[in-house]
């Protein structure tokens, strides 16, 4: 055991990637959102000074990449101030946005403030499906305008499409749209099941046949690109894999997420775990990162049980995702059931089977709204 008694064998390096979730408020209500089901209130959000200090402290420790995310970060009036501060500190700054509310005036102000990069999400490749999934009329139209603005202001542009059983059949349409919009990179990301997406998993999870067909279409499309146009990245869901992902590149090694209320987390989902997480309103980022019990809890290998404990791949995947292990087995110390070596691996096949006949209605991210969108 280490000197901190947590099982972390070495002093970790600094957090390299800081995700600042400025607010969970969002104009869209996507049922695949990975935000927690308990969204909290705006009154709990960190104020500007708290964020400025978090940015300074993490940068001083060595953080280099900064994502402004949410919810919708554009809903924070101090976004430009935070971007300017981060840019002055030398971060590479990325705005992760739905695009709703990104006017020409605002994009110019963000450029002036030093924003480096914009990631713009779409819900689908046409207005009907896009607006239905996000539960907001005319949002597709607005996103098209924003994509043009992003290019006009010469930002590198990542386009993000979350793929589910509802829209995965439109993947060729999606790729054609990305070419038209001149995206630099495109994430064709089948949803990861956390937060609202986990709640709605039985509706959202594509079948294996849908996935195979989609991947084949992506490959054909890529071949025709002949090296031109966007770089497409196709991300498959864990549920059909045999080995777990090295979640967050290992707990507490690289990523630090600060939630809107100031909770400091090793990943965006960690609050679901039966651990107490620190808050940047009460502790410095340095104290949190190096000394907090929750951050040290899954560092290193001492926490592992079988089969991870003796597995020769444990330094590659770190036992997989702690949040997924907890959601699926109720035990955060277990091997991620995605792994075929896990005695719980059958849970994945059971989840896939269950997804063919969802037992209850799909819910939008806003719990007040309940509209089935199973047919698009
Ligand atoms: Fe929390 Fe994987 S999302 S450890």
């Amino acid at each position: 055991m280490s000197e901190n008694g947590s099982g972390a064998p070495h002093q970790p390096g600094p957090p390299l990637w800081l995700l600042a979730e400025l607010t969970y408020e969002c104009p869209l209500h996507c049922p695949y959102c990975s935000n927690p089901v308990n969204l909290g209130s705006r009154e709990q959000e960190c104020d500007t000074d708290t964020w400025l200090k978090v940015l300074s402290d993490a940068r001083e420790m060595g953080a280099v990449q900064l994502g402004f995310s949410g919810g919708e970060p554009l809903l924070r009036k101090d976004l430009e101030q935070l971007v300017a501060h981060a840019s002055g500190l030398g971060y590479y700054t990325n705005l992760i946005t739905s695009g709703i509310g990104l006017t020409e005036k605002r994009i110019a102000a963000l450029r002036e403030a030093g924003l480096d990069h914009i990631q713009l999400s779409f819900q689908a490749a046409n207005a009907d499906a896009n607006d239905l999934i996000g539960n907001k009329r005319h949002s597709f139209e607005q996103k098209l305008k924003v994509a043009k603005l992003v290019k006009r202001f010469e930002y590198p542009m990542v386009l993000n499409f979350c793929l589910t059983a509802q829209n995965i059949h439109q993947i060729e349409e999606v790729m054609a749209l990305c070419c038209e919009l001149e995206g630099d990179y495109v994430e064709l990301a089948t949803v990861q099941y956390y937060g609202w997406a986990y709640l709605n998993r039985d509706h959202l999870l594509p079948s294996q046949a849908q996935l195979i067909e989609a991947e084949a279409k992506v490959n054909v499309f890529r071949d025709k690109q002949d090296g031109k146009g966007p770089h497409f990245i196709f991300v498959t869901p864990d549920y059909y894999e045999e080995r777990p992902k090295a979640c967050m590149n290992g707990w507490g090694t690289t990523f630090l997420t600060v939630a809107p209320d100031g909770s400091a987390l090793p990943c965006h989902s960690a609050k679901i775990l039966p651990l107490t997480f620190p808050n940047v309103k009460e502790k410095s980022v340095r104290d949190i990162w190096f000394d907090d019990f929750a951050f040290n809890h899954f560092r290193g290998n001492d926490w592992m049980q079988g089969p991870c404990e003796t597995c020769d791949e444990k330094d590659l995947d770190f036992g997989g995702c702690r949040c997924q292990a907890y959601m699926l087995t109720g035990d955060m110390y277990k091997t991620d059931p995605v792994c075929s070596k896990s005695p719980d691996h059958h849970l994945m096949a059971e989840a896939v089977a269950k997804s063919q006949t969802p037992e209850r209605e799909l819910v939008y991210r806003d719990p007040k709204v309940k509209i089935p969108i199973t047919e698009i």
Side-chain angles (χ1 to χ4, degrees):
M1 291 286 271
S2 67
E3 58 189 8
N4 59 24
S6 65
H10 308 292
Q11 176 84 338
L16 297 176
W17 224 112
L18 173 63
L19 185 67
E21 295 186 320
L22 299 182
T23 177
Y24 282 145
E25 198 81 1
C26 187
L28 303 184
H29 302 120
C30 308
Y32 58 67
C33 181
S34 62
N35 281 171
V37 175
N38 179 2
L39 292 165
S41 68
R42 289 212 75 172
E43 289 73 57
Q44 297 168 312
E45 284 180 10
C46 294
D47 60 17
T48 307
D49 285 346
T50 305
W51 280 118
L52 293 174
K53 184 168 176 344
V54 166
L55 302 184
S56 297
D57 289 355
R59 179 73 187 116
E60 198 185 306
M61 289 170 68
V64 285
Q65 292 269 353
L66 172 61
F68 289 106
S69 156
E72 177 47 71
L74 288 163
L75 290 173
R76 287 282 301 218
K77 292 197 173 64
D78 54 2
L79 179 63
E80 289 81 347
Q81 187 184 349
L82 299 178
V83 169
H85 184 67
S87 178
L89 292 168
Y91 278 106
Y92 186 80
T93 52
N94 185 12
L95 177 67
I96 301 161
T97 178
S98 68
I100 309 301
L102 191 51
T103 57
E104 180 164 355
K105 190 171 162 208
R106 229 153 163 214
I107 206 169
L110 288 165
R111 191 36 131 187
E112 181 69 28
L115 181 68
D116 293 303
H117 192 121
I118 296 182
Q119 177 177 318
L120 176 63
S121 65
F122 277 78
Q123 280 61 49
N126 61 64
D128 287 349
N130 185 90
D131 297 358
L132 185 58
I133 294 171
N135 197 31
K136 184 162 176 68
R137 290 172 72 187
H138 308 303
S139 55
F140 186 70
E141 210 180 303
Q142 290 178 57
K143 284 165 186 279
L144 293 182
K145 283 188 193 147
V146 167
K148 285 186 185 133
L149 275 178
V150 172
K151 291 308 287 184
R152 181 141 69 79
F153 279 81
E154 298 180 351
Y155 282 102
M157 180 166 73
V158 174
L159 298 172
N160 174 278
F161 283 79
C162 280
L163 301 173
T164 65
Q166 284 71 40
N167 64 5
I168 196 165
H169 61 283
Q170 300 174 340
I171 201 154
E172 288 163 312
E173 219 178 316
V174 165
M175 295 175 89
L177 176 65
C178 294
C179 292
E180 203 184 308
L181 297 176
E182 300 177 74
D184 296 296
Y185 286 85
V186 179
E187 286 178 5
L188 302 167
T190 46
V191 165
Q192 299 285 332
Y193 296 94
Y194 298 95
W196 291 87
Y198 187 69
L199 192 71
N200 288 315
R201 185 191 62 192
D202 293 350
H203 288 274
L204 302 174
L205 185 66
S207 68
Q208 190 153 30
Q210 278 184 306
L211 272 174
I212 291 169
E213 191 185 333
E215 194 160 17
K217 285 178 179 170
V218 172
N219 289 335
V220 169
F221 197 99
R222 279 195 191 120
D223 287 346
K224 286 192 200 147
Q225 277 186 287
D226 200 21
K228 297 187 202 85
H231 181 75
F232 290 100
I233 303 152
F234 185 67
V235 185
T236 54
D238 287 355
Y239 282 67
Y240 299 103
E241 299 292 337
E242 295 293 310
R243 285 290 178 276
K245 58 182 180 271
C247 201
M248 311 315 293
N249 196 38
W251 179 275
T253 66
T254 313
F255 291 91
L256 170 64
T257 296
V258 179
D261 69 354
S263 299
L265 307 167
C267 69
H268 61 288
S269 265
K271 256 194 152 177
I272 61 163
L273 300 175
L275 288 168
T276 303
F277 287 95
N279 194 298
V280 296
K281 292 175 187 165
E282 289 148 16
K283 281 172 107 176
S284 74
V285 176
R286 178 173 289 277
D287 285 350
I288 287 169
W289 183 258
F290 290 116
D291 298 326
D292 184 80
F293 176 82
F295 273 77
N296 280 323
H297 205 60
F298 291 114
R299 282 181 173 139
N301 297 334
D302 286 1
W303 60 271
M304 288 181 179
Q305 309 172 345
C308 290
E309 205 175 10
T310 52
C311 180
D312 56 8
E313 294 171 69
K314 68 182 172 192
D315 293 323
L316 297 176
D317 58 36
F318 318 110
C321 174
R322 293 304 86 222
C323 298
Q324 194 146 260
Y326 183 69
M327 284 187 291
L328 289 162
T329 73
D331 182 347
M332 64 179 175
Y333 299 97
K334 282 197 163 182
T335 297
D336 186 337
V338 170
C339 186
S340 61
K341 298 182 189 181
S342 158
D344 300 303
H345 188 56
H346 61 94
L347 294 174
M348 310 314 289
E350 284 166 27
V352 169
K354 204 162 153 257
S355 71
Q356 308 305 310
T357 49
E359 276 165 17
R360 56 170 180 72
E361 200 178 62
L362 179 143
V363 283
Y364 276 99
R365 180 186 188 271
D366 177 350
K368 293 191 289 297
V369 186
K370 293 187 181 181
I371 308 168
I373 59 160
T374 41
E375 295 298 326
I376 292 177

